[in-house]
Amino acid sequence: MQIDIRKAQKKSMFIDDNIDNYFGYLGRSVLVNHSLLSANEKLKFQEGWTKHGFNQYVSDLIPVQRRLPDFRLPACVEQIYPNNLPTASVVIPFHNEALSTLLRTVHSILDNSPPHLLREIVLVDDCSELEINFDLESILSKMPLVKLIKTSTWTGLVGARLTGYDVTSSDVTVFLDSHCEVTTGWLEPILARLKENEKAVVTSAVDVISGDTFEYQPEPLDGFIPVGSFDWNLNYVWNRNYLSRNSTQPVRTATLLGCIIAVSNHFFDTIGRFDAGLSVWGGENLELSFKTWMCGGSVEIIPCSRIGHVFRKYLPYISGQKARDMVKKNLLRVADVWMDDYKFYYHHSINHHLTDIGDTSSMKSLRQALKCSSFQDYLQRLQPLIFIPAFCIWSGQIENHQVRLCIDTDSNNLQIDQVNINVRGCADEDPSQLWFMCERGEIRNHRGCWANYRRSDVILKPCSIRGSASQIWQYREDKSLFHSRTRKCLELTDRNRVVLSTCQLGARQVWTWSRRPAFGPIPPWRSHSYG
Ligand code: UDP
Ligand code: MN
C-alpha cells in the first residue's frame, strides 16, 4: 500500500478502539511515496535517515502507542506462570534517539507488562545532543513508573546502561534499546526462566522492525529459531537451530545481540556486570555471552517472549575510521580478557593492527577469582564446529598483479546465498578483504566459500561440509587461481569484474596472497579447518 502523505489525514496519536486503520496498525508497513513529498518534506525525510539510520519520517507517522498482534506460538499462549515471579526494572539508554521510537518503546512496555511485575522503566539520556524540540521530561512525567536520568558526559551504551542499573530496585533487569516494541506476554516467560535459573542470561525471540517501513516482521519460528554465534572478526553471526512448534523451552545460544538482555541482578553483579571499559558501542554482547558461559551461567533465548527491534542501516552517531577504531578497541579488550590464545585469530583478522586497549586487569582478576573455565571449553560446548584458520595454507588479501586491486565482498550482507565477489582498492585492515585458502582447496572467509555460478561468475556460498567440487580451487605455481570443476582461471576483466575465464597466463590472471594464515590454537577435537 502506498500512501500519499499530502492526502492522508493526520491520524490520532493514541489507541482508540474505533480507529483501526492508522499508519502501522498491527505492525503493518508504511510506505511513503517519496516523489509526492514537497521539497520541505523531502528534506525532513532525508534528515530523519541521516540522524537515525532508520526512517524517522515513517516512525513519526505511526502512533507512539500502536497495537500489535499476539505473535506467540500456541503453546506459549497456554503457558501458566507461577504467582511469585521476581519483579523487573527495564533500563533503556539512549543517545540522540527519535522521540517517536523512544515513546513507542515505553508505551509498549506499559501496555504489555503486568503491573505487579514491572517495578520501573529507567530511561538514561546519554548526553543526547540533537536539538530536541519537545519536552521529554514533561511527557514522561505523566507516565507511571517512568524515571528519566541523564549522564553527565557521553558515556556510551555500556556506561549508560550501568548508570541506569545503579538506580533500579528490583530483582531482575531488562536492558532494552530505545527503539523496540515488546508484545503481549513478553515479560512473564523471561521472569519465570530467571526465577528457575538465576544464572541464566536471556533474550527474547528478536523480531525485526524494518528500519525502512516499520513493519513488525515476526520470526516464523516454524521449526527453526535463529540463534547467535560469532566469527573470528568477532562479528555477531546468525545460525538456525531446531525448535519444535510446541516448545516453550529456552534455547541455548552461544552469543546474544545487545538490544534485548534480561538478567538477575545478583548474577549480573557476580560476573562483574559489563566491562565498564567498553566505550560508545560494540563488544558488550560478546563480553556478556562469553563470560556468562565461562563463569557458570548459560545464555538463552526465550521463544515465548517476542520483542521487535528496529535494525538500523548504519550507526548515526559515530562513523568512519573513528567508529572502526572504537569497535576494534572494545573487541580487543573482550578478546584479551576472555579468549585466551584464541584471541590470535582476531588479531590476525585485523592484521595485527593492535591498539591501546586500556587496563583490563580488574576483569582478568575477576575471571580468576570466579574460576571461570577456558575459552576452549566454551568452544567445545557451544561452537565445536567453528572454522579453524590454523589448518589453512594461504591467507590475507588477494591482490591482482596488473591492477592494484584486492578481492573484496560486501561484508555487511548477512545473507550469504548470493553474494558476489568483486575488487576494491586494497585496504589491509579490512575484514572484507581477508580470505583463506584451506587444506581441501576451498577459498573462504568467515562467512562462506567461493563457488562458480552460471558460466563465469564467482559467488560466496555457504561452505559445503562435504567439499563440493564447485568450491575447490588450486593456487598454482604460476600464481593463477584455478577452478577445478570448470578448469578455468580467475580473471580481472577490463571493467574490473572478477570472472572465470579460459586460462592464459596474463597479468590479469595472476594473483598474490599477502600472508600465511594465523598461527592460532587448534582445538584437540578438530582435525580440519571445517566443521
Ligand atoms: N546508546 C547510548 N549511548 C551511546 C550509544 C548508544 O545510550 O553512546 C544507546 C542507543 O540509543 C540504543 C542502545 O544504546 O538504545 C544501543 O545502540 P544502537 O541501537 O545504536 O545499536 P544497534 O542496535 O544499532 O547495534
Ligand atoms: Mn538498536
Side-chain angles (χ1 to χ4, degrees):
M1 177 180 61
Q2 292 244 326
I3 293 167
D4 176 353
I5 296 300
R6 289 182 308 183
K7 291 185 197 141
Q9 256 189 307
K10 192 138 183 67
K11 296 290 196 278
S12 156
M13 287 294 276
F14 292 93
I15 286 188
D16 172 341
D17 277 336
N18 298 318
I19 297 178
D20 61 0
N21 62 347
Y22 53 74
F23 293 133
Y25 182 67
L26 293 182
R28 287 194 289 247
S29 63
V30 178
L31 292 163
V32 172
N33 190 337
H34 188 259
S35 64
L36 296 178
L37 297 180
S38 68
N40 236 345
E41 294 295 294
K42 275 188 181 130
L43 197 66
K44 221 170 112 191
F45 187 94
Q46 190 45 50
E47 272 178 8
W49 270 108
T50 313
K51 283 183 189 164
H52 302 290
F54 56 68
N55 197 342
Q56 180 194 5
Y57 190 93
V58 157
S59 175
D60 289 355
L61 290 170
I62 298 172
V64 293
Q65 194 176 18
R66 84 158 151 180
R67 179 154 302 191
L68 291 171
D70 181 349
F71 295 111
R72 292 171 300 170
L73 298 176
C76 296
V77 177
E78 283 161 21
Q79 197 77 350
I80 294 165
Y81 298 101
N83 286 325
N84 53 345
L85 291 175
T87 57
S89 299
V90 181
V91 173
I92 304 174
F94 65 97
H95 177 73
N96 294 348
E97 187 58 68
L99 179 64
S100 55
T101 41
L102 181 64
L103 290 181
R104 203 171 300 115
T105 308
V106 174
H107 275 291
S108 73
I109 299 165
L110 292 173
D111 289 349
N112 292 292
S113 313
H116 67 289
L117 297 179
L118 180 66
R119 178 67 62 85
E120 67 220 327
I121 301 174
V122 182
L123 299 181
V124 188
D125 181 350
D126 187 15
C127 266
S128 297
E129 63 214 356
L130 286 187
E131 104 288 342
I132 17 184
N133 52 359
F134 54 83
D135 188 354
L136 186 59
E137 264 168 61
S138 86
I139 297 177
L140 294 178
S141 68
K142 298 188 189 84
M143 293 183 169
L145 304 178
V146 182
K147 285 186 195 160
L148 174 64
I149 58 176
K150 293 179 187 197
T151 58
S152 45
T153 51
W154 186 11
T155 69
L157 85 89
V158 161
R161 280 186 193 159
L162 293 176
T163 306
Y165 179 73
D166 276 339
V167 307
T168 60
S169 55
S170 53
D171 315 306
V172 161
T173 303
V174 182
F175 295 102
L176 276 191
D177 275 11
S178 43
H179 33 254
C180 289
E181 285 173 71
V182 305
T183 69
T184 314
W186 73 284
L187 185 57
E188 295 90 329
I190 286 179
L191 296 178
R193 179 57 183 162
L194 293 179
K195 180 179 160 65
E196 191 175 69
N197 178 0
E198 204 215 36
K199 294 179 174 177
V201 172
V202 307
T203 186
S204 63
V206 181
D207 296 321
V208 172
I209 299 173
S210 160
D212 200 5
T213 66
F214 279 72
E215 181 182 21
Y216 191 106
Q217 302 164 344
E219 276 298 328
L221 302 187
D222 51 356
F224 291 97
I225 184 164
V227 296
S229 64
F230 68 93
D231 64 27
W232 297 116
N233 295 325
L234 299 185
N235 290 311
Y236 180 90
V237 173
W238 287 109
N239 284 335
R240 275 151 56 92
N241 254 23
Y242 291 105
L243 177 80
S244 82
R245 251 194 89 76
N246 50 20
S247 174
T248 59
Q249 293 306 302
V251 178
R252 287 161 35 116
T253 179
T255 64
L256 42 63
L257 283 170
C259 52
I260 300 159
I261 298 170
V263 61
S264 295
N265 293 1
H266 181 250
F267 183 65
F268 191 51
D269 291 340
T270 306
I271 58 174
R273 306 182 179 178
F274 290 111
D275 171 8
L278 299 174
S279 42
V280 188
W281 182 93
E284 88 295 344
N285 58 325
L286 291 188
E287 194 238 357
L288 186 63
S289 305
F290 293 166
K291 77 177 167 193
T292 297
W293 280 117
M294 290 166 63
C295 307
S298 64
V299 185
E300 302 170 355
I301 298 167
I302 308 299
C304 288
S305 177
R306 311 290 306 239
I307 304 177
H309 168 254
V310 181
F311 286 83
R312 305 180 194 276
K313 293 264 182 327
Y314 54 87
L315 273 193
Y317 40 80
I318 182 161
S319 60
Q321 193 56 38
K322 216 169 148 195
R324 284 192 290 277
D325 287 347
M326 171 200 66
V327 173
K328 187 170 82 176
K329 180 194 151 210
N330 288 352
L331 292 175
L332 280 169
R333 277 184 79 85
V334 176
D336 186 54
V337 177
W338 299 102
M339 291 175 67
D340 306 326
D341 285 355
Y342 285 90
K343 72 178 174 218
F344 295 134
Y345 289 128
Y346 179 61
H347 294 180
H348 177 265
S349 139
I350 55 171
N351 204 5
H352 303 280
H353 291 281
L354 306 183
T355 53
D356 176 22
I357 58 170
D359 183 14
T360 54
S361 57
S362 67
M363 298 309 297
K364 284 179 173 162
S365 318
L366 182 80
R367 177 176 168 180
Q368 249 185 346
L370 292 176
K371 301 194 167 56
C372 306
S373 65
S374 69
F375 194 74
Q376 185 155 290
D377 281 349
Y378 164 77
L379 284 182
Q380 187 162 20
R381 287 168 69 202
L382 278 307
Q383 296 264 82
L385 303 181
I386 193 170
F387 167 52
I388 300 296
F391 289 100
C392 302
I393 304 147
W394 290 102
S395 80
Q397 293 167 298
I398 308 174
E399 186 181 331
N400 187 264
H401 195 63
Q402 169 94 33
V403 193
R404 220 200 144 229
L405 291 172
C406 284
I407 299 191
D408 206 317
T409 181
D410 182 0
S411 66
N412 292 326
N413 199 330
L414 293 174
Q415 210 117 37
I416 67 153
D417 287 350
Q418 283 295 330
V419 182
N420 280 305
I421 64 164
N422 48 36
V423 283
R424 270 186 221 148
C426 300
D428 76 345
E429 214 181 328
D430 192 342
S432 67
Q433 295 186 0
L434 174 61
W435 301 102
F436 297 87
M437 175 148 206
C438 304
E439 69 274 29
R440 283 187 307 194
E442 62 272 54
I443 299 178
R444 61 171 296 161
N445 63 8
H446 294 304
R447 297 252 164 100
C449 283
W450 290 9
N452 69 305
Y453 179 64
R454 300 217 178 102
R455 274 185 47 189
S456 60
D457 285 352
V458 182
I459 58 168
L460 203 57
K461 284 183 78 163
C463 294
S464 129
I465 295 169
R466 285 194 203 85
S468 154
S470 68
Q471 296 187 4
I472 305 293
W473 301 74
Q474 286 171 36
Y475 184 50
R476 302 196 295 191
E477 290 271 299
D478 59 13
K479 297 198 157 79
S480 59
L481 283 166
F482 177 76
H483 185 248
S484 306
R485 182 147 93 182
T486 55
R487 309 198 65 74
K488 286 182 175 172
C489 286
L490 195 76
E491 178 172 301
L492 186 66
T493 68
D494 296 342
R495 294 181 163 190
N496 292 340
R497 281 191 60 230
V498 184
V499 298
L500 282 172
S501 161
T502 310
C503 297
Q504 45 175 11
L505 198 67
R508 284 183 173 268
Q509 287 189 2
V510 174
W511 302 91
T512 44
W513 287 86
S514 63
R515 42 203 170 109
R516 298 282 176 174
F519 181 71
I522 294 178
W525 64 93
R526 290 287 297 275
S527 52
H528 305 285
S529 63
Y530 49 92

